[in-house]
Amino acid sequence: MIENPPLIQIKKSSNRNRPSKNQIDSFKDIPTGFICDALNGYAALDPSIKPLSIPGKNVNHIVGPALTVFSGAADVLGMSIALSEIKEGDVVVNGVNGFQGTAAVGDRIAGMIRNNGGAGLVTDGPMRDLSGIVETGLDCFCTGLNPNSPYNSGPAKIGFPLDIGGKTVCTGDIIVADADGVTVVPFEQINEVISKLERIVEVENAMDEKVSAGLKISQKALDYIKSDKVVYFD
């Protein structure tokens, strides 16, 4: 490399997508499994990114627009700067290239995300300072815990597309996360997914009622059994 890149690169907020409040509200209390159904079965980040385990605390359902931060391995400078970019309700999505050797962030960053109105944090690295994180009340999704300290040196990118957990997440995509994991609704597909969810919720709720009432096998499965698609052998 002839010269080093800028230490911190920030995409101007005026050039970032942001869903409307009505769009965000359409995903409130929608299970992540339904989000995956609406996106052809695949909308979740890698299952290594999971709810931070807090004894005695249920995992909350969170929804909000992504604010992406690429910190790189073993570095927290980007997250420190990104605090100035958080808008009310944002879910900060922090990429560290999946590095597990140090914490991606700790309780102070988590607390400041909360203080700036952030709704949650998603990272492909571990976190540290569990008791302090609990006190912040911030909902966090990460790969686990590691008390090793990251550096504070950069470089970093804020607001740009981010490869994390097998997906590319862009600022303005909607993050929906719950006990099952983290899903991503691309900004350009938000309205399409909302339309699909109306039917998915109706079908899923109807099926749940049938199972609760004692259903043992679905009609679709019975139809397959009676068709030539299922062949029995001696």
Side-chain angles (χ1 to χ4, degrees):
M1 186 179 298
I2 297 175
E3 58 184 39
N4 290 330
L7 189 64
I8 303 292
Q9 299 178 58
I10 302 176
K11 189 170 185 178
K12 291 182 178 179
S13 58
S14 59
N15 291 328
R16 300 181 210 155
N17 292 322
R18 189 168 185 84
S20 69
K21 183 179 184 302
N22 286 341
Q23 287 177 315
I24 296 169
D25 287 346
S26 296
F27 293 90
K28 294 287 177 68
D29 300 320
I30 299 295
T32 49
F34 291 11
I35 304 298
C36 292
D37 290 345
L39 284 163
N40 300 316
Y42 293 92
L45 300 186
D46 189 273
S48 62
I49 302 172
K50 52 189 179 293
L52 181 62
S53 179
I54 299 175
K57 181 181 181 298
N58 292 329
V59 177
N60 292 324
H61 182 279
I62 66 168
V63 177
L67 172 64
T68 59
V69 184
F70 176 69
S71 297
D75 204 281
V76 76
L77 181 62
M79 285 296 296
S80 299
I81 302 299
L83 294 167
S84 67
E85 298 294 311
I86 294 174
K87 294 184 179 180
E88 187 74 28
D90 280 350
V91 177
V92 180
V93 182
N94 174 44
V96 296
N97 275 335
F99 183 70
Q100 303 300 303
T102 69
V105 296
D107 60 347
R108 293 191 185 93
I109 292 289
M112 288 185 282
I113 291 173
R114 188 58 141 178
N115 293 344
N116 281 288
L121 168 68
V122 175
T123 181
D124 58 351
M127 296 181 69
R128 56 178 273 176
D129 313 313
L130 179 60
S131 60
I133 293 170
V134 172
E135 291 181 10
T136 70
L138 185 73
D139 291 296
C140 299
F141 295 77
C142 60
T143 59
L145 293 168
N146 187 337
N148 285 338
S149 304
Y151 297 106
N152 199 25
S153 56
K157 289 184 173 183
I158 300 166
F160 293 87
L162 173 67
D163 292 329
I164 181 172
K167 295 281 184 185
T168 298
V169 180
C170 298
T171 291
D173 292 350
I174 289 182
I175 302 297
V176 183
D178 60 18
D180 286 342
V182 180
T183 56
V184 183
V185 181
F187 180 82
E188 295 79 9
Q189 294 178 262
I190 290 173
N191 289 334
E192 174 190 345
V193 170
I194 290 172
S195 295
K196 288 183 177 180
L197 282 172
E198 293 178 2
R199 177 59 177 161
I200 290 169
V201 169
E202 178 184 337
V203 170
E204 292 281 354
N205 288 344
M207 195 64 183
D208 285 344
E209 290 179 5
K210 291 179 181 179
V211 172
S212 296
L215 181 69
K216 294 181 178 179
I217 188 170
S218 70
Q219 185 60 51
K220 185 175 182 179
L222 287 173
D223 291 342
Y224 268 110
I225 291 170
K226 295 174 182 178
S227 74
D228 59 4
K229 294 180 174 63
V230 176
V231 178
Y232 291 91
F233 291 88
D234 293 326

